[in-house]
Amino acid sequence: MVLKIVRTVWPVMLTYVAIGAPCGMIMGQTGMEPWMVFALSSTFVTGSGQFMICNLWLAGVPAPSIIASVAAISSRFALYSASLAPHLKSASKCQTLAVTATLTEEAYGISLANLVEKDDWGPRESFVLNVILIATWGVSCTTGGIVGTVVDVPTAIAAFVCTSLFICLLFSQRLSRGNVVAAVSGAVSVAVCKFLGLTNIAVPASVVVGIAIALARDAVFDGRGARDAR
């Protein structure tokens, strides 16, 4: 079963190596020892959150702002787990907890597709998949942390790996007016916060503002379209 899953997810594992190594380098530059890097990477299952923690810490952002920012971008995992729940009805509570507590973003997509399409895929396979990906990410980050202590890699270059990842995710989204409004509103709110000296709340504020304006726009224009159709 393990070999079968590895043959399915090896492209994702290679991606984890490419992204995890720079993340580990940044974590090492924050003063974390290799064992600390591995411990955090193996228990904190959102890679983007790890990038954010390290970059904000290096920038001197207070801990409450870091917690709020990471909590905002990590809240999507609640939706991931909720969407998996209907496909885990036959699983025990312990199995369901094991799957959802070790869920990663890429593992979610793979597990959901297999739970829907394959009869031989269940909570056991989903949990093993999660463990494989978490182990790959943890080892990759730890390797990067060790290499970062030997090779001096500029923080800006390593940090741009996460930025480029989000740029790719942005362009992979369906191009809609709501998405464009959210992106532009978020960028403008960050610029305004920086201009006003509100650096500590720039990131969480941009998330809230972007989503709120996009939802308001969709509610107004979609509602108007529905009224016109009637």
Side-chain angles (χ1 to χ4, degrees):
M1 182 186 64
V2 173
L3 293 178
K4 175 185 175 182
I5 294 175
V6 170
R7 285 195 294 267
T8 302
V9 301
W10 68 265
V12 178
M13 296 171 67
L14 292 180
T15 304
Y16 273 23
V17 172
I19 301 176
C23 183
M25 293 179 185
I26 299 176
M27 295 171 73
Q29 292 182 10
T30 63
M32 298 181 66
E33 299 291 336
W35 70 268
M36 297 179 182
V37 174
F38 182 78
L40 178 60
S41 302
S42 301
T43 54
F44 197 78
V45 292
T46 164
S48 57
Q50 288 182 218
F51 270 102
M52 180 172 287
I53 289 173
C54 297
N55 288 326
L56 294 180
W57 183 265
L58 290 173
V61 177
S65 182
I66 296 176
I67 293 173
S69 300
V70 175
I73 67 170
S74 301
S75 59
R76 64 190 186 277
F77 281 89
L79 299 177
Y80 293 160
S81 299
S83 65
L84 284 179
H87 305 286
L88 297 174
K89 290 182 178 180
S90 60
S92 66
K93 290 185 178 180
C94 290
Q95 289 176 324
T96 303
L97 179 61
V99 172
T100 55
T102 57
L103 192 65
T104 64
E105 200 150 29
E106 293 76 15
Y108 160 75
I110 298 172
S111 289
L112 181 61
N114 286 325
L115 286 169
V116 172
E117 299 173 0
K118 296 182 179 180
D119 296 331
D120 60 345
W121 189 280
R124 183 165 173 257
E125 286 75 14
S126 295
F127 176 70
V128 173
L129 168 67
N130 294 349
V131 172
I132 291 174
L133 291 182
I134 289 176
T136 303
W137 176 258
V139 172
S140 301
C141 290
T142 305
T143 303
I146 296 173
V147 172
T149 60
V150 179
V151 181
D152 185 17
V153 179
T155 305
I157 295 177
F160 186 73
V161 173
C162 186
T163 305
S164 62
L165 173 62
F166 278 104
I167 292 175
C168 292
L169 291 175
L170 175 64
F171 280 97
S172 66
Q173 298 299 308
R174 181 175 63 88
L175 183 61
S176 65
R177 292 179 180 178
N179 287 343
V180 172
V181 169
V184 173
S185 301
V188 171
S189 63
V190 168
V192 172
C193 288
K194 294 284 187 179
F195 178 77
L196 296 176
L198 303 175
T199 305
N200 296 343
I201 65 170
V203 175
S206 67
V207 174
V208 174
V209 170
I211 294 175
I213 293 179
L215 290 176
R217 180 265 163 205
D218 288 344
V220 172
F221 285 93
D222 291 349
R224 183 181 301 171
R227 289 193 297 271
D228 294 342
R230 287 196 298 269

